[in-house]
């Protein structure tokens, strides 16, 4: 039986206080997933309060979804049931920053913007430029496992997360890793939290390695007549000594969206040179370092662009650089905003297969008459966004076919795929699910250890975990 | 012939799996596998050398059927007793599974068997302008399988990351013989990061039979600098200053005066034997960036009173310097019968103080402590030299070691940066982790290794159970200045650290 808000208000508010508990529609609506709403929302301030809440949930078999700012709740499937939204935004402290050691510890609900502000004062940063950056929390970012344009230079969060503390589904407060830059004591359980969509634990603390801010950031934007040349150029840079921090190839649809901004978002980008002509691709190359090094970087990168037949190559000034990267970081919300049935496939392929994978997505989109925006990161990550202009059973059908075909092509090249964002109806219509993997059984065992009663985001994860 | 724990019939089956030529049963032969690089011992009943992953799977099924422990072994260079058969059973040595299966230059990946020697992979891909970045000082001997199990680091970890940052996929054999692929050659496999869990699990979750690693381009330019200091303090201050200034060299290794003299007498690398400390610093990358960094390093070294900063003028000079660094442990072997190397980590801001206090601890216990370590990462390797034949030397060395570990923990650090817990530091785990932390880790181990037949007696405090060891006040992720923390069971003894440490001495 589904728990009712009235029954839950009292025991939850006894733990976190009435002001931090809500059963009001205005609150529960904010944490809805796929049309499902929680009966109650709780904002614990500490790991211990979190533990108390989870203890209650275990006892009463309540299903909990953990939220930070709620910006990535749309990722993953809807929970099989949903009683309580546990929001971590009060665990938002910067707990410790040791600038001399380049390490940082924050509460799970700490906002990325607060972190950046704290680090910036010491000329440091965390390379976590993820979608919804101005709202997102550190815990939500880790749980979503989402990458950023900076992964070319700095890796993904698993590469600089040193340790974590979290509350498991069996309401134990647990930690792993350390807060120094190197440690191999015990299992690295915190790595399992990355991309786990809140199915293993509620993150109360995260320890990161921080990075020195580069002296300058610059970018070069090169335009190519076709995908293979753009991606070839990006690979050429990736294989060169140039050490780019970002290498993003964008198709014309995406460029056009970035340039215009989505209907609901801000002003157009002040970069008229972003052409957005059909069939053209652009590569945004990011650099971080000194002016002197950039001179050589620019010279070589422009040379390579010419070799790969670039029709145009443009050096962006500081303002334009900031604008372009801001848009690129926010490409996901921009895409989601630009279609009522936006469907995002996230794929991972070998870099040598990037062109083929993009071609497969484009031809499938064409076959099903769907506009498609493509963003290919040189490491092999691709965001494929199908953007029909209406949401109805007929578009869902076309989307399902396009997703299945694209997924098949990616699987055939030993790649991986998942469907982080799509209309709810679509999830039930695709034939493939993104969890066609031999290690699902082991993942199930891990889930069982962390959350034996299956109270944490039941059913939201790959394989229905 | 049967052994203490294994029937003759079972041994026959084993011979059928790997071939009798690849099975050691004689006591003398088997006793050679009683040691690794640590000061621990553990004797297997039998030793086998499988030739393929299918044989490894069959071995696992055999172990499951006969309830006999199996323990993987690479080159046996481990420094925490990880590869030792603590509870007997079968030692599975991967030296025959040493093939590089695939080199994919375009995607910068290699697929290797676990017995491939670390340096052999870098050599094999050098002509394509690539290398395998994690470079433990033992890289001429240690295997990639052993590196995966220990999450090995090395001098260049500072810039390039540890093994975990370079492993893309694994094929593993679970204790019941099931073979599973985790991770993937391509990025972003959906689901939990099982590879992240597996790397560093010290051979307790499965046997690794195939490893897909990333290859890293060789840098365009490398500059190797040797900064000479009058005192260890000046050198450690330099490391702290470099870190705080955001200068991240590719490697930053320190040798103290004692170690310089021991190494120089053995290797003759031209090190200044009258110096108080040396920093071996390497910067690399784009030519212009390496030059800039080298200049920044030189300036900061001078500011911190470096007597001299030399730049290696040739590849040969560079190799000699690295040889001095990487063969140092061997050199120490010439002056002391036994050497206990520790592996604690501290915040880099605390380096000067830590080294001073380690010196004091050594003196109090009557030892010279040599230090040669990954300074840039704050990963200490104090070496306690002793002679186990002398009555109380071993006990005193261990007592000094325990104090050093307590110091690392007090400073908010870790008990091990790269050598692993193994059977050497299992009893220290409760100093860092609460009962709840350890229980969850054990839960994971039991999910993969339910009968405990795979590398038993490692990582987790055994015997008495951690419940009997008192838990200390500070904990790893709870801040470097350490706030008091009561574990799940409510046990927060006044001096938990002492409790666990006494445990060892008892
Ligand atoms: C002189 C010297 C210098 C060193 N320098 C460094 C250094 O700079 N950085 C560093 O990190 N370490 C260093 N070490 C420690 C050691 O070399 C590393 O831990 C190395 O990774 C061990 O590799 P190995 O092949 O010798 O493994 P072993 O010692 O044989 O085994 C280590 C662990 O791996 C497990 N194992 C081995 N193969 C497999 C497999 N296929 N599947 C599952 N488990 C397996 C074993 O069970 C054991 O737990 C040094 C050691 C020495 C002696």
């Amino acid at each position: 039986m589904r728990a009712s808000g009235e029954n839950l208000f009292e025991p939850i508010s006894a733990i976190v206080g009435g002001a931090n508990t809500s059963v009001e529609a205005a609150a529960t609506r904010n944490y809805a997933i796929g049309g499902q709403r929680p009966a109650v929302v709780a904002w614990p301030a500490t790991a211990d309060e979190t533990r108390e809440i989870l203890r209650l949930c275990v006892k009463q078999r309540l299903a909990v979804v953990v939220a930070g700012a709620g910006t990535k709740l749309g990722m993953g499937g809807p929970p099989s049931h949903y009683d309580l939204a546990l929001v971590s935004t009060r665990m938002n402290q910067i707990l410790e920053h040791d600038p001399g050691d380049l390490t940082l510890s924050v509460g799970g609900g700490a906002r990325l913007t607060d972190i950046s502000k704290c680090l910036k004062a010491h000329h440091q940063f965390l390379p976590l430029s993820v979608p919804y950056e101005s709202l997102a929390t550190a815990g939500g970012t880790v749980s979503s496992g989402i990458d950023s344009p900076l992964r070319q230079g700095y890796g993904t969060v698993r590469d600089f997360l040193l340790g974590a503390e979290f509350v498991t589904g069996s309401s134990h407060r647990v930690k792993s890793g350390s807060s120094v830059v190197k440690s191999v004591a015990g299992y690295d359980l915190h790595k399992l939290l990355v991309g786990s969509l809140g199915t293993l634990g509620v993150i109360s603390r995260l320890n990161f390695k921080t990075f020195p801010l580069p002296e300058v950031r610059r970018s070069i934007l090169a335009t190519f007549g076709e995908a293979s040349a753009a991606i070839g150029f990006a690979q050429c840079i990736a294989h060169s000594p140039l050490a780019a921090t970002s290498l993003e190839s964008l198709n014309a649809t995406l460029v056009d969206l970035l340039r215009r901004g989505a209907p609901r978002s801000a002003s157009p980008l002040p970069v008229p040179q972003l052409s957005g002509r059909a069939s053209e691709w652009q590569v945004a190359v990011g650099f971080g370092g000194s002016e002197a090094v950039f001179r050589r970087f620019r010279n070589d990168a422009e040379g390579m662009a010419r070799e790969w037949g670039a029709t145009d190559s443009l050096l962006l000034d500081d303002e334009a650089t900031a604008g372009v990267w801001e848009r690129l970081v926010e490409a996901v919300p921009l895409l989601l905003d630009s279609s009522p049935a936006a469907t995002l496939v996230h794929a991972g392929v070998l870099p040598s297969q990037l062109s083929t994978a993009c071609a497969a997505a484009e031809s499938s989109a064409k076959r099903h008459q769907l506009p498609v925006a493509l963003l290919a990161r040189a490491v092999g990550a691709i965001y494929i966004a199908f953007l029909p202009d209406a949401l109805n059973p007929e578009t869902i059908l076309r989307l399902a076919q396009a997703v299945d075909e694209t997924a098949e092509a990616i699987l055939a090249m030993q790649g991986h795929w998942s469907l982080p964002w799509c209309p709810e109806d679509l999830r039930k219509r695709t034939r493939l699910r993104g969890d066609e993997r031999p290690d699902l059984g082991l993942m199930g065992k891990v889930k069982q250890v962390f959350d034996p009663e299956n109270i944490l985001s039941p059913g939201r994860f790959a394989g229905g975990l | 012939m049967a052994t203490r724990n294994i029937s003759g019939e079972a041994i026959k089956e084993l011979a059928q799996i790997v071939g009798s030529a690849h099975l050691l049963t004689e006591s003398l032969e088997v006793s050679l596998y009683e040691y690794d690089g640590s000061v621990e011992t553990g004797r297997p009943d039998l030793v086998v050398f499988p030739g393929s992953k299918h044989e490894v799977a069959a071995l696992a099924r055999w172990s499951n059927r006969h309830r006999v422990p199996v323990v993987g072994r690479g080159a046996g260079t481990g420094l925490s007793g990880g590869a030792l058969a603590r509870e007997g059973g079968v030692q599975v040595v991967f030296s025959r599974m040493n093939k590089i299966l695939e080199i994919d230059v375009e995607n910068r990946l290699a697929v290797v068997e676990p017995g491939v020697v670390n340096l052999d992979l870098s050599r094999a891909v050098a002509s394509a302008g690539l290398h395998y970045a994690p470079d433990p000082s033992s890289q001429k001997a240690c295997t990639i399988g052993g590196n995966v199990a220990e999450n090995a680091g090395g001098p260049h970890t500072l810039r390039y990351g540890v093994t975990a940052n370079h492993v893309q996929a694994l094929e593993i054999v679970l204790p019941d013989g099931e073979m599973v692929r985790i991770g993937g050659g391509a990025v972003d496999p959906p689901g939990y990061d099982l590879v992240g869990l597996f790397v560093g699990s010290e051979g307790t979750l499965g046997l690794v039979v195939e490893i897909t690693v990333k290859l890293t381009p060789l840098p365009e330019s490398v500059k190797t600098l040797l900064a000479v200091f009058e005192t260890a303090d000046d050198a450690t201050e330099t490391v702290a200053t470099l870190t705080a200034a955001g200068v991240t060299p590719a490697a930053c290794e320190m040798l103290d005066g004692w170690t310089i003299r021991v190494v120089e007498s053995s290797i003759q690398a031209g090190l200044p034997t009258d110096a108080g400390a040396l920093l071996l610093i390497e910067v690399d990358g784009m030519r212009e960036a390496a030059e800039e960094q080298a200049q920044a390093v030189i300036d900061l070294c001078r500011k911190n009173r470096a007597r001299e900063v030399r730049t290696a003028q040739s590849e040969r000079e560079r190799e000699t310097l690295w040889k001095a660094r990487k063969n140092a442990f061997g050199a120490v072997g010439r002056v002391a019968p036994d050497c206990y190397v520790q592996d604690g980590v501290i915040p880099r801001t605390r380096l000067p103080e830590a080294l001073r206090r380690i010196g004091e601890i050594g003196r109090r216990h009557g030892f010279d402590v040599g230090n040669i370590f990954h300074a840039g990462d704050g990963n200490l390797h104090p070496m306690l030299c002793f002679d186990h034949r002398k009555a109380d030397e071993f006990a005193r060395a261990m007592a000094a070691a325990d104090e050093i570990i307590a110091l690392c923990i007090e400073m908010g650090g870790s008990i091990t940066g790269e050598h692993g817990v193994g059977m050497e530091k299992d009893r220290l785990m409760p100093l860092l982790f609460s009962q709840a932390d350890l229980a969850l880790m054990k839960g994971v181990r039991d999910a993969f290794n339910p009968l405990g037949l795979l590398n038993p007696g490692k990582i987790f405090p055994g015997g008495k159970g951690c419940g009997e060891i008192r838990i200390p006040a500070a904990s790893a992720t709870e801040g470097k200045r350490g706030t008091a923390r009561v574990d799940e069971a409510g046990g927060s003894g006044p001096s938990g650290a002492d409790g666990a440490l006494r445990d060892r001495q008892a």
Side-chain angles (χ1 to χ4, degrees), chain A residues 101 103 175 183 187 205 290, chain B residues 204 220 292 348 414 437 477 480:
Chain A
D101 194 35
T103 52
K175 67 178 174 314
S183 175
Y187 298 148
R205 180 186 183 110
S290 73
Chain B
T204 60
E220 176 182 66
E292 235 171 43
R348 292 160 290 186
S414 173
D437 304 341
T477 52
K480 293 178 176 167

mmCIF file with all atom_site columns, all heavy atoms in Angstrom, chain A residues 101 103 175 183 187 205 290, chain B residues 204 220 292 348 414 437 477 480:
data_model
loop_
_atom_site.group_PDB
_atom_site.id
_atom_site.type_symbol
_atom_site.label_atom_id
_atom_site.label_alt_id
_atom_site.label_comp_id
_atom_site.label_asym_id
_atom_site.label_entity_id
_atom_site.label_seq_id
_atom_site.pdbx_PDB_ins_code
_atom_site.Cartn_x
_atom_site.Cartn_y
_atom_site.Cartn_z
_atom_site.occupancy
_atom_site.B_iso_or_equiv
_atom_site.pdbx_formal_charge
_atom_site.auth_seq_id
_atom_site.auth_comp_id
_atom_site.auth_asym_id
_atom_site.auth_atom_id
_atom_site.pdbx_PDB_model_num
ATOM 1   N N   . ASP A 1 101 ? 47.209 21.641  -0.141  1.00 0.00 ? 101 ASP A N   1
ATOM 2   C CA  . ASP A 1 101 ? 47.249 20.224  -0.510  1.00 0.00 ? 101 ASP A CA  1
ATOM 3   C C   . ASP A 1 101 ? 46.391 19.948  -1.738  1.00 0.00 ? 101 ASP A C   1
ATOM 4   O O   . ASP A 1 101 ? 46.334 18.829  -2.232  1.00 0.00 ? 101 ASP A O   1
ATOM 5   C CB  . ASP A 1 101 ? 46.766 19.366  0.673   1.00 0.00 ? 101 ASP A CB  1
ATOM 6   C CG  . ASP A 1 101 ? 47.103 17.895  0.493   1.00 0.00 ? 101 ASP A CG  1
ATOM 7   O OD1 . ASP A 1 101 ? 48.169 17.609  -0.082  1.00 0.00 ? 101 ASP A OD1 1
ATOM 8   O OD2 . ASP A 1 101 ? 46.300 17.034  0.906   1.00 0.00 ? 101 ASP A OD2 1
ATOM 9   N N   . THR A 1 103 ? 43.120 19.815  -1.898  1.00 0.00 ? 103 THR A N   1
ATOM 10  C CA  . THR A 1 103 ? 42.039 18.882  -1.578  1.00 0.00 ? 103 THR A CA  1
ATOM 11  C C   . THR A 1 103 ? 40.866 19.648  -0.968  1.00 0.00 ? 103 THR A C   1
ATOM 12  O O   . THR A 1 103 ? 41.052 20.702  -0.371  1.00 0.00 ? 103 THR A O   1
ATOM 13  C CB  . THR A 1 103 ? 42.495 17.806  -0.567  1.00 0.00 ? 103 THR A CB  1
ATOM 14  O OG1 . THR A 1 103 ? 43.079 18.441  0.560   1.00 0.00 ? 103 THR A OG1 1
ATOM 15  C CG2 . THR A 1 103 ? 43.489 16.842  -1.186  1.00 0.00 ? 103 THR A CG2 1
ATOM 16  N N   . LYS A 1 175 ? 31.887 5.208   5.133   1.00 0.00 ? 175 LYS A N   1
ATOM 17  C CA  . LYS A 1 175 ? 32.783 5.978   4.277   1.00 0.00 ? 175 LYS A CA  1
ATOM 18  C C   . LYS A 1 175 ? 33.781 5.057   3.582   1.00 0.00 ? 175 LYS A C   1
ATOM 19  O O   . LYS A 1 175 ? 34.010 3.924   4.022   1.00 0.00 ? 175 LYS A O   1
ATOM 20  C CB  . LYS A 1 175 ? 33.528 7.029   5.087   1.00 0.00 ? 175 LYS A CB  1
ATOM 21  C CG  . LYS A 1 175 ? 34.500 6.427   6.063   1.00 0.00 ? 175 LYS A CG  1
ATOM 22  C CD  . LYS A 1 175 ? 35.242 7.513   6.799   1.00 0.00 ? 175 LYS A CD  1
ATOM 23  C CE  . LYS A 1 175 ? 36.117 6.943   7.900   1.00 0.00 ? 175 LYS A CE  1
ATOM 24  N NZ  . LYS A 1 175 ? 35.498 5.960   8.751   1.00 0.00 ? 175 LYS A NZ  1
ATOM 25  N N   . SER A 1 183 ? 45.376 6.945   -1.798  1.00 0.00 ? 183 SER A N   1
ATOM 26  C CA  . SER A 1 183 ? 45.134 5.973   -0.740  1.00 0.00 ? 183 SER A CA  1
ATOM 27  C C   . SER A 1 183 ? 44.581 4.708   -1.373  1.00 0.00 ? 183 SER A C   1
ATOM 28  O O   . SER A 1 183 ? 43.758 4.772   -2.274  1.00 0.00 ? 183 SER A O   1
ATOM 29  C CB  . SER A 1 183 ? 44.115 6.506   0.277   1.00 0.00 ? 183 SER A CB  1
ATOM 30  O OG  . SER A 1 183 ? 43.817 5.502   1.234   1.00 0.00 ? 183 SER A OG  1
ATOM 31  N N   . TYR A 1 187 ? 38.299 -1.131  0.012   1.00 0.00 ? 187 TYR A N   1
ATOM 32  C CA  . TYR A 1 187 ? 37.692 -1.046  -1.323  1.00 0.00 ? 187 TYR A CA  1
ATOM 33  C C   . TYR A 1 187 ? 37.253 0.392   -1.617  1.00 0.00 ? 187 TYR A C   1
ATOM 34  O O   . TYR A 1 187 ? 36.761 1.082   -0.730  1.00 0.00 ? 187 TYR A O   1
ATOM 35  C CB  . TYR A 1 187 ? 36.458 -1.950  -1.415  1.00 0.00 ? 187 TYR A CB  1
ATOM 36  C CG  . TYR A 1 187 ? 36.716 -3.419  -1.210  1.00 0.00 ? 187 TYR A CG  1
ATOM 37  C CD1 . TYR A 1 187 ? 35.750 -4.233  -0.621  1.00 0.00 ? 187 TYR A CD1 1
ATOM 38  C CD2 . TYR A 1 187 ? 37.898 -4.024  -1.637  1.00 0.00 ? 187 TYR A CD2 1
ATOM 39  C CE1 . TYR A 1 187 ? 35.953 -5.594  -0.445  1.00 0.00 ? 187 TYR A CE1 1
ATOM 40  C CE2 . TYR A 1 187 ? 38.110 -5.384  -1.455  1.00 0.00 ? 187 TYR A CE2 1
ATOM 41  C CZ  . TYR A 1 187 ? 37.138 -6.162  -0.862  1.00 0.00 ? 187 TYR A CZ  1
ATOM 42  O OH  . TYR A 1 187 ? 37.339 -7.502  -0.681  1.00 0.00 ? 187 TYR A OH  1
ATOM 43  N N   . ARG A 1 205 ? 29.005 13.343  2.202   1.00 0.00 ? 205 ARG A N   1
ATOM 44  C CA  . ARG A 1 205 ? 30.296 14.036  2.121   1.00 0.00 ? 205 ARG A CA  1
ATOM 45  C C   . ARG A 1 205 ? 31.073 13.527  0.918   1.00 0.00 ? 205 ARG A C   1
ATOM 46  O O   . ARG A 1 205 ? 31.036 12.340  0.607   1.00 0.00 ? 205 ARG A O   1
ATOM 47  C CB  . ARG A 1 205 ? 31.094 13.739  3.394   1.00 0.00 ? 205 ARG A CB  1
ATOM 48  C CG  . ARG A 1 205 ? 32.455 14.413  3.438   1.00 0.00 ? 205 ARG A CG  1
ATOM 49  C CD  . ARG A 1 205 ? 33.245 13.953  4.667   1.00 0.00 ? 205 ARG A CD  1
ATOM 50  N NE  . ARG A 1 205 ? 34.513 14.660  4.720   1.00 0.00 ? 205 ARG A NE  1
ATOM 51  C CZ  . ARG A 1 205 ? 34.822 15.584  5.621   1.00 0.00 ? 205 ARG A CZ  1
ATOM 52  N NH1 . ARG A 1 205 ? 33.993 15.890  6.580   1.00 0.00 ? 205 ARG A NH1 1
ATOM 53  N NH2 . ARG A 1 205 ? 35.996 16.193  5.580   1.00 0.00 ? 205 ARG A NH2 1
ATOM 54  N N   . SER A 1 290 ? 49.288 28.961  -20.275 1.00 0.00 ? 290 SER A N   1
ATOM 55  C CA  . SER A 1 290 ? 49.831 30.324  -20.343 1.00 0.00 ? 290 SER A CA  1
ATOM 56  C C   . SER A 1 290 ? 49.708 30.875  -21.766 1.00 0.00 ? 290 SER A C   1
ATOM 57  O O   . SER A 1 290 ? 49.533 30.120  -22.724 1.00 0.00 ? 290 SER A O   1
ATOM 58  C CB  . SER A 1 290 ? 51.290 30.328  -19.915 1.00 0.00 ? 290 SER A CB  1
ATOM 59  O OG  . SER A 1 290 ? 52.069 29.742  -20.935 1.00 0.00 ? 290 SER A OG  1
ATOM 60  N N   . THR B 2 204 ? 40.933 -10.105 -3.866  1.00 0.00 ? 204 THR B N   1
ATOM 61  C CA  . THR B 2 204 ? 39.950 -10.745 -2.979  1.00 0.00 ? 204 THR B CA  1
ATOM 62  C C   . THR B 2 204 ? 38.561 -10.870 -3.604  1.00 0.00 ? 204 THR B C   1
ATOM 63  O O   . THR B 2 204 ? 37.674 -11.469 -3.005  1.00 0.00 ? 204 THR B O   1
ATOM 64  C CB  . THR B 2 204 ? 39.787 -9.939  -1.665  1.00 0.00 ? 204 THR B CB  1
ATOM 65  O OG1 . THR B 2 204 ? 39.336 -8.625  -1.998  1.00 0.00 ? 204 THR B OG1 1
ATOM 66  C CG2 . THR B 2 204 ? 41.092 -9.854  -0.893  1.00 0.00 ? 204 THR B CG2 1
ATOM 67  N N   . GLU B 2 220 ? 56.121 15.179  -25.564 1.00 0.00 ? 220 GLU B N   1
ATOM 68  C CA  . GLU B 2 220 ? 56.993 15.758  -26.576 1.00 0.00 ? 220 GLU B CA  1
ATOM 69  C C   . GLU B 2 220 ? 58.333 16.155  -25.965 1.00 0.00 ? 220 GLU B C   1
ATOM 70  O O   . GLU B 2 220 ? 59.380 16.038  -26.584 1.00 0.00 ? 220 GLU B O   1
ATOM 71  C CB  . GLU B 2 220 ? 56.289 17.013  -27.127 1.00 0.00 ? 220 GLU B CB  1
ATOM 72  C CG  . GLU B 2 220 ? 57.074 17.801  -28.113 1.00 0.00 ? 220 GLU B CG  1
ATOM 73  C CD  . GLU B 2 220 ? 56.296 19.040  -28.541 1.00 0.00 ? 220 GLU B CD  1
ATOM 74  O OE1 . GLU B 2 220 ? 56.059 19.948  -27.700 1.00 0.00 ? 220 GLU B OE1 1
ATOM 75  O OE2 . GLU B 2 220 ? 55.905 19.084  -29.706 1.00 0.00 ? 220 GLU B OE2 1
ATOM 76  N N   . GLU B 2 292 ? 58.445 26.148  -19.388 1.00 0.00 ? 292 GLU B N   1
ATOM 77  C CA  . GLU B 2 292 ? 57.871 27.071  -18.413 1.00 0.00 ? 292 GLU B CA  1
ATOM 78  C C   . GLU B 2 292 ? 57.862 26.452  -17.019 1.00 0.00 ? 292 GLU B C   1
ATOM 79  O O   . GLU B 2 292 ? 58.225 27.079  -16.034 1.00 0.00 ? 292 GLU B O   1
ATOM 80  C CB  . GLU B 2 292 ? 56.425 27.334  -18.818 1.00 0.00 ? 292 GLU B CB  1
ATOM 81  C CG  . GLU B 2 292 ? 56.094 28.776  -18.991 1.00 0.00 ? 292 GLU B CG  1
ATOM 82  C CD  . GLU B 2 292 ? 54.713 28.924  -19.617 1.00 0.00 ? 292 GLU B CD  1
ATOM 83  O OE1 . GLU B 2 292 ? 53.776 28.197  -19.221 1.00 0.00 ? 292 GLU B OE1 1
ATOM 84  O OE2 . GLU B 2 292 ? 54.584 29.787  -20.511 1.00 0.00 ? 292 GLU B OE2 1
ATOM 85  N N   . ARG B 2 348 ? 50.082 17.252  1.794   1.00 0.00 ? 348 ARG B N   1
ATOM 86  C CA  . ARG B 2 348 ? 51.416 17.725  1.426   1.00 0.00 ? 348 ARG B CA  1
ATOM 87  C C   . ARG B 2 348 ? 51.858 18.934  2.228   1.00 0.00 ? 348 ARG B C   1
ATOM 88  O O   . ARG B 2 348 ? 53.039 19.192  2.366   1.00 0.00 ? 348 ARG B O   1
ATOM 89  C CB  . ARG B 2 348 ? 51.449 17.978  -0.071  1.00 0.00 ? 348 ARG B CB  1
ATOM 90  C CG  . ARG B 2 348 ? 51.337 16.640  -0.782  1.00 0.00 ? 348 ARG B CG  1
ATOM 91  C CD  . ARG B 2 348 ? 50.905 16.734  -2.186  1.00 0.00 ? 348 ARG B CD  1
ATOM 92  N NE  . ARG B 2 348 ? 49.525 17.139  -2.375  1.00 0.00 ? 348 ARG B NE  1
ATOM 93  C CZ  . ARG B 2 348 ? 48.944 17.162  -3.561  1.00 0.00 ? 348 ARG B CZ  1
ATOM 94  N NH1 . ARG B 2 348 ? 49.622 16.803  -4.622  1.00 0.00 ? 348 ARG B NH1 1
ATOM 95  N NH2 . ARG B 2 348 ? 47.684 17.541  -3.693  1.00 0.00 ? 348 ARG B NH2 1
ATOM 96  N N   . SER B 2 414 ? 46.466 8.526   5.213   1.00 0.00 ? 414 SER B N   1
ATOM 97  C CA  . SER B 2 414 ? 46.067 7.145   4.992   1.00 0.00 ? 414 SER B CA  1
ATOM 98  C C   . SER B 2 414 ? 47.187 6.209   5.433   1.00 0.00 ? 414 SER B C   1
ATOM 99  O O   . SER B 2 414 ? 48.364 6.594   5.463   1.00 0.00 ? 414 SER B O   1
ATOM 100 C CB  . SER B 2 414 ? 45.768 6.931   3.505   1.00 0.00 ? 414 SER B CB  1
ATOM 101 O OG  . SER B 2 414 ? 45.544 5.562   3.247   1.00 0.00 ? 414 SER B OG  1
ATOM 102 N N   . ASP B 2 437 ? 31.854 0.824   8.167   1.00 0.00 ? 437 ASP B N   1
ATOM 103 C CA  . ASP B 2 437 ? 32.601 0.916   6.903   1.00 0.00 ? 437 ASP B CA  1
ATOM 104 C C   . ASP B 2 437 ? 33.109 -0.471  6.509   1.00 0.00 ? 437 ASP B C   1
ATOM 105 O O   . ASP B 2 437 ? 32.959 -0.916  5.373   1.00 0.00 ? 437 ASP B O   1
ATOM 106 C CB  . ASP B 2 437 ? 33.836 1.821   7.048   1.00 0.00 ? 437 ASP B CB  1
ATOM 107 C CG  . ASP B 2 437 ? 33.510 3.227   7.535   1.00 0.00 ? 437 ASP B CG  1
ATOM 108 O OD1 . ASP B 2 437 ? 32.345 3.621   7.430   1.00 0.00 ? 437 ASP B OD1 1
ATOM 109 O OD2 . ASP B 2 437 ? 34.435 3.912   8.031   1.00 0.00 ? 437 ASP B OD2 1
ATOM 110 N N   . THR B 2 477 ? 37.750 10.101  6.223   1.00 0.00 ? 477 THR B N   1
ATOM 111 C CA  . THR B 2 477 ? 37.077 11.094  5.402   1.00 0.00 ? 477 THR B CA  1
ATOM 112 C C   . THR B 2 477 ? 36.491 12.213  6.236   1.00 0.00 ? 477 THR B C   1
ATOM 113 O O   . THR B 2 477 ? 35.806 13.066  5.743   1.00 0.00 ? 477 THR B O   1
ATOM 114 C CB  . THR B 2 477 ? 35.963 10.458  4.567   1.00 0.00 ? 477 THR B CB  1
ATOM 115 O OG1 . THR B 2 477 ? 35.150 9.716   5.440   1.00 0.00 ? 477 THR B OG1 1
ATOM 116 C CG2 . THR B 2 477 ? 36.518 9.581   3.490   1.00 0.00 ? 477 THR B CG2 1
ATOM 117 N N   . LYS B 2 480 ? 40.790 16.483  8.060   1.00 0.00 ? 480 LYS B N   1
ATOM 118 C CA  . LYS B 2 480 ? 42.188 16.293  8.371   1.00 0.00 ? 480 LYS B CA  1
ATOM 119 C C   . LYS B 2 480 ? 42.494 16.634  9.805   1.00 0.00 ? 480 LYS B C   1
ATOM 120 O O   . LYS B 2 480 ? 43.426 16.155  10.372  1.00 0.00 ? 480 LYS B O   1
ATOM 121 C CB  . LYS B 2 480 ? 43.004 17.145  7.440   1.00 0.00 ? 480 LYS B CB  1
ATOM 122 C CG  . LYS B 2 480 ? 42.852 16.594  6.053   1.00 0.00 ? 480 LYS B CG  1
ATOM 123 C CD  . LYS B 2 480 ? 43.584 17.392  5.086   1.00 0.00 ? 480 LYS B CD  1
ATOM 124 C CE  . LYS B 2 480 ? 43.458 16.698  3.741   1.00 0.00 ? 480 LYS B CE  1
ATOM 125 N NZ  . LYS B 2 480 ? 43.877 17.543  2.682   1.00 0.00 ? 480 LYS B NZ  1
#
